[in-house]
Amino acid sequence: MNAIISASDLAHALTGPTLPVLLDVRWQLTAAKASGEPPFDGRAAYEAGHLPGAVYVDLDRELASAPGAGGRHPLPDLARFGAAMRRAGVSSRTPVVVYDGGQGWAAARAWWLLRWTGHPDVRVLDGGLPAWEGPLETAVPAPAEGDFAPEPGAAGLLDADAAAELARSGVLLDARAGERYRGEVEPIDPVAGHIPGAVSAPTTENVGADGRFLPADELRERFKNLGVSQSSPVGVYCGSGVSAAHQVLALAVAGIPAHLYVGSWSEWSADPARPVAVGPDPQ
């Protein structure tokens, strides 16, 4: 099953006998500005217009736990996550399509969590809301309660020690912007740099100018040039496990399974005992 769906294919699916559950996960990594402008409000954006029947999911509250020792977006409490999915109408035998405002990071986080906890049929709307050409609605639906019960998988998740080991024995991709990887700037976390051995692979290079994923063969070539092969284990991290989920999604489009280090740099850099590398070279 493909991990993404085009807007035209989604429009067709919404006329079929088995309607997918639509999750709106609009989110941005923003902060209040000095001018007094408030940070991005995903729920307000949702209420202003969303795909017909879509239910809003809050990334910070339902797809992550509160920031702490595990990073800025640690894994959510699974009971809370499961309740949020059931409230949205998610059932184990019903397809799910997730979208966001177009960046794809938040939608990928929801996709990864649902896949990791056992849902068999989840896809991300390629290009997000900007790719949708159909009508929008402002009414907030009240779907029937779903039955999805999250059951975490044994694979697919890295902790800090496993990420460090994978940087030595496989390929660990750093999905952040290149300047953050090199340690030239660090606007959020306490230390600049990257995990020793990790390879710079900015998430933004997985998509075209329209925000849609590059074709699968181009993605395979991109990852091959970064040292990824079908035989090597692959892991991804970013700042807090959100944009890295988008990289895991891109790898899935390319047919390459990958693990996610959810704590990512926000967890790694908070521990003074963890080594830090700077500059363009992995080491």
Side-chain angles (χ1 to χ4, degrees):
M1 185 193 69
N2 201 341
I4 58 176
I5 185 171
S6 68
S8 59
D9 284 349
L10 176 58
H12 179 72
L14 291 175
T15 65
T18 303
L19 299 182
V21 173
L22 301 180
L23 304 181
D24 184 313
V25 198
R26 272 178 275 183
W27 170 88
Q28 291 179 14
L29 182 61
T30 57
K33 299 179 180 179
S35 62
E37 181 181 344
F40 176 78
D41 186 335
R43 181 172 289 278
Y46 164 81
E47 291 176 351
H50 51 266
L51 268 63
V55 176
Y56 179 70
V57 176
D58 190 310
L59 184 147
D60 289 318
R61 294 177 174 84
E62 296 171 322
L63 304 182
S65 295
R72 283 184 279 109
H73 288 103
L75 286 173
D77 174 81
L78 290 181
R80 183 181 181 90
F81 170 65
M85 293 300 98
R86 291 188 293 275
R87 171 188 59 81
V90 175
S91 291
S92 57
R93 294 180 178 85
T94 305
V96 177
V97 175
V98 192
Y99 71 91
D100 58 23
Q103 188 179 45
W105 296 3
R109 171 74 175 224
W111 167 85
W112 181 85
L113 274 169
L114 280 164
R115 294 291 293 154
W116 178 64
T117 55
H119 199 288
D121 190 352
V122 189
R123 287 178 286 179
V124 169
L125 176 59
D126 194 16
L129 187 63
W132 178 253
E133 297 180 352
L136 300 178
E137 67 179 23
T138 57
V140 177
E145 182 88 358
D147 65 12
F148 179 67
E151 297 181 3
L157 179 66
L158 299 174
D159 61 14
D161 290 338
E165 174 57 31
L166 191 56
R168 296 187 294 266
S169 62
V171 180
L172 182 65
L173 301 176
D174 185 319
R176 298 173 301 161
E179 59 269 23
R180 290 184 70 191
Y181 170 87
R182 295 188 296 271
E184 297 167 358
V185 299
E186 182 44 66
I188 306 171
D189 295 311
V191 179
H194 60 266
I195 296 173
V199 177
S200 180
T203 290
T204 52
E205 296 178 14
N206 294 324
V207 298
D210 59 0
R212 302 181 195 185
F213 281 102
L214 300 175
D217 58 345
E218 292 184 28
L219 287 171
R220 280 191 289 271
E221 186 65 21
R222 161 171 158 75
F223 292 121
K224 178 181 177 181
N225 292 335
L226 292 168
V228 174
S229 69
Q230 293 290 344
S231 61
S232 60
V234 183
V236 189
Y237 75 97
C238 58
S240 65
V242 178
S243 66
H246 188 271
Q247 187 99 287
V248 173
L249 176 58
L251 285 154
V253 172
I256 303 167
H259 303 275
L260 177 65
Y261 174 25
V262 173
S264 284
W265 189 247
S266 59
E267 178 186 45
W268 184 280
S269 62
D271 183 351
R274 296 281 177 190
V276 172
V278 295
D281 296 328
Q283 301 301 332

